Amino acid sequence: MKIKDTDYAFGVAKIRANELNLLTQVDFDSLIAANDYKSALRILEDKGWAVPEKSTSFASMLEKFEDDTWQLVCACLPVVSTFDSLILPNDFYNLKAAIKAVFSDLEPNDYFIRPFVTDPALIAEAVTNKKFDILPKHLKDTAVEAYDAVVRVGSGRLADIIIDKASLNTALASAKNSGNQALTDLAELSCACANIKIAFRSAETGRDTEFMLRCMADCDTVDNKRLAFAAADGGREAIAEYLQFTPYSEAGEKLAESAVAFEKWCDDSVMGSIGSKRLAAFGPEPIIGYYLTCLAAVKNVRIILSAKLNGVSSEEIRKRVRNINV
Amino acid sequence: MTYLGTALAVLGAALAAILSGMGSAKGVGLVGEAAAGVVSEDPSKFGKVLILEILPGTQGLYGFLTAFLLLARIGLLNGEIATNPLTVSRGLMLLAACLPIATVGYFSAIAQGRAAASGVGVVAKKADQSGKAITMAALVETYAVLTLLVSLLSIMSIVNYTA
């Protein structure tokens, strides 16, 4: 059944009401300017966050916020699978965690993340018992290939590459399949950013083009071959030069600035990709925008609190904090 | 064939009531969904979103009013029609008179529903701006009111018309 934009009327209105509770840029400025970790926590507590009482570990607070956000998003969607492209990468992360945990004799459940499309218990069972047939189609082949890479080649790095590439390709295919342009643009942007990162890191570590092409995800807006050859031949400058001919010309400038600036640009671009579409009265875009804003808020809170715990200056924190448009 | 004119007039009344009623049902339903989204988070905004939800319901009333007036004027409600049936040409004219409110009522109710549902989003974030949201949605009403007038005036003129 085709979903109409008006089928999101309930969800969009619910999201609008919840947008009032989001942390704004002003709130992040206050958090950055906070004297210490405890002061920052107090600001978050005033904004309704479930801050930890004694512990300096704020991971559970962020996990709870992420869980609550996802539950809200699910309540707002007529069909939850519409957003699969946003959470499919978590399945691949869980697969990676399961393989590493099994080979390190660790408990996989401690490393799984939420939300997910495939139950992590199923992934753990498949990897532990080598019963990959029980996995859904999007994970099965990747799991076999990554598992073999560890067992036969003895390369955990190769397994990571296989899983990361499959994760991006699967998310992009799922986004295209959803028929929503905003989700497709977002997945395409994620692939492009990942490929640029691969080219940049490979150039810094002297990797060859074959390696780069093996790692890079399918991407319509970046020519992987030209990007890989630019990285191998001329390093950072050549990458920036090639990117001038793509929609990511700004990425080249950020790369020239620093890796931190580039990482921030990637995250800000993800937020920016939804742009004014989030103001629409109907359709999934406002819900996508809300979800992305919440993820960016979690990232910012993590950066700020970690920095406060380690006595990092406000100026340094400001360079890393992502833009928030509420 | 005696009652063909009457049948055409009744068809007009039915279209006015059915189409504008369908439009209103769609419009009110859409705003209702949006309103439920806001009230589920903030029940105190029920009063403000209720006004927005009512707006697309008026077209259904206009259709009902048009149909009722037509049926009363042709004597169907008091039984006079049995002794004084309408001619085919007069029946056709009455059918045509109903079309403005039937069609514009249907489409304007849906359009108003979309505008009002968008206004619900405004109320959700800025409750103090609800007046603006109501005004924006209410403007769509203009065209339903205009066609209501056209339909009513036409019906009254046609029934009173003597060739």
Side-chain angles (χ1 to χ4, degrees), chain A residues 5 13-14 16 18-20 281, chain B residues 34 37 40-41 114 118 124-125:
Chain A
D5 63 345
K14 199 173 173 71
R16 293 277 179 255
N18 275 280
E19 279 177 349
L20 296 171
Chain B
S40 68
E41 295 296 325
R114 287 184 72 99
S118 306
K125 284 191 88 169

Side-chain angles (χ1 to χ4, degrees), chain A:
Chain A
M1 193 181 77
K2 195 176 182 322
I3 304 169
K4 299 193 295 286
D5 63 345
T6 46
D7 290 338
Y8 290 91
F10 171 83
V12 171
K14 199 173 173 71
I15 284 295
R16 293 277 179 255
N18 275 280
E19 279 177 349
L20 296 171
N21 304 324
L22 287 174
L23 292 175
T24 63
Q25 201 62 52
V26 175
D27 296 322
F28 285 114
D29 287 341
S30 305
L31 282 170
I32 294 168
N35 289 331
D36 51 24
Y37 174 76
K38 281 187 179 174
S39 309
L41 279 185
R42 267 198 297 277
I43 294 170
L44 287 173
E45 194 169 22
D46 290 344
K47 296 295 292 182
W49 285 55
V51 300
E53 282 183 16
K54 288 178 185 171
S55 165
T56 52
S57 168
F58 48 83
S60 58
M61 173 181 75
L62 298 183
E63 268 177 31
K64 185 180 181 318
F65 182 80
E66 283 177 319
D67 285 347
D68 292 348
T69 301
W70 182 248
Q71 277 172 18
L72 174 66
V73 166
C74 289
C76 293
L77 292 173
V79 179
V80 179
S81 62
T82 314
F83 275 26
D84 275 0
S85 65
L86 294 177
I87 57 166
L88 273 169
N90 290 357
D91 280 7
F92 288 89
Y93 177 94
N94 290 340
L95 174 63
K96 204 190 282 185
I99 291 175
K100 286 183 179 174
V102 165
F103 282 101
S104 311
D105 285 331
L106 296 168
E107 175 52 50
N109 287 323
D110 297 339
Y111 302 95
F112 290 142
I113 57 171
R114 298 181 298 265
F116 45 75
V117 177
T118 310
D119 186 353
L122 189 74
I123 297 175
E125 190 192 339
V127 175
T128 307
N129 303 320
K130 294 184 220 168
K131 288 192 327 194
F132 297 109
D133 284 342
I134 63 172
L135 288 174
K137 198 181 163 191
H138 70 273
L139 280 177
K140 192 176 137 189
D141 293 343
T142 308
V144 171
E145 208 183 331
Y147 192 89
D148 279 356
V150 178
V151 173
R152 293 184 187 169
V153 189
S155 171
R157 177 78 191 117
L158 179 60
D160 285 352
I161 289 168
I162 292 164
I163 294 172
D164 289 342
K165 183 175 180 174
S167 168
L168 290 163
N169 285 341
T170 308
L172 181 58
S174 170
K176 284 180 176 172
N177 196 38
S178 75
N180 181 270
Q181 194 56 45
L183 287 172
T184 307
D185 291 347
L186 204 57
E188 176 69 26
L189 179 65
S190 299
C191 289
C193 286
N195 289 355
I196 297 168
K197 268 182 219 171
I198 289 164
F200 172 66
R201 285 178 188 159
S202 300
E204 297 287 299
T205 53
R207 295 280 191 167
D208 59 19
T209 50
E210 195 185 337
F211 172 81
M212 284 186 250
L213 290 171
R214 190 171 188 182
C215 299
M216 286 175 177
D218 301 335
C219 190
D220 295 333
T221 48
V222 171
D223 183 337
N224 289 350
K225 276 188 183 169
R226 285 185 66 186
L227 181 63
F229 279 115
D233 294 342
R236 191 187 292 207
E237 288 77 23
I239 296 171
E241 201 173 309
Y242 164 67
L243 291 176
Q244 292 299 319
F245 302 101
T246 68
Y248 314 106
S249 55
E250 209 183 325
E253 294 164 22
K254 298 295 173 187
L255 270 178
E257 202 177 306
S258 69
V260 170
F262 174 69
E263 291 282 349
K264 181 176 171 351
W265 176 85
C266 289
D267 286 342
D268 289 346
S269 299
V270 166
M271 273 302 298
S273 73
I274 200 77
S276 58
K277 290 178 209 157
R278 64 178 300 168
L279 299 175
F282 308 105
E285 287 80 7
I287 306 171
I288 298 170
Y290 177 84
Y291 186 58
L292 294 179
T293 306
C294 287
L295 294 185
V298 166
K299 197 170 268 188
N300 278 354
V301 169
R302 185 178 285 124
I303 290 169
I304 294 168
L305 292 183
S306 303
K308 292 290 172 193
L309 275 174
N310 293 295
V312 178
S313 72
S314 296
E315 273 310 301
E316 283 303 313
I317 301 173
R318 211 171 289 280
K319 284 181 194 169
R320 287 166 170 77
V321 166
R322 275 54 174 164
N323 291 338
I324 295 279
N325 300 313
V326 179

Side-chain angles (χ1 to χ4, degrees), chain B residues 120-138:
Chain B
V120 169
V122 175
V123 173
K125 284 191 88 169
K126 295 179 179 175
D128 57 328
Q129 302 295 317
S130 62
K132 289 173 185 168
I134 293 166
T135 306
M136 287 186 281

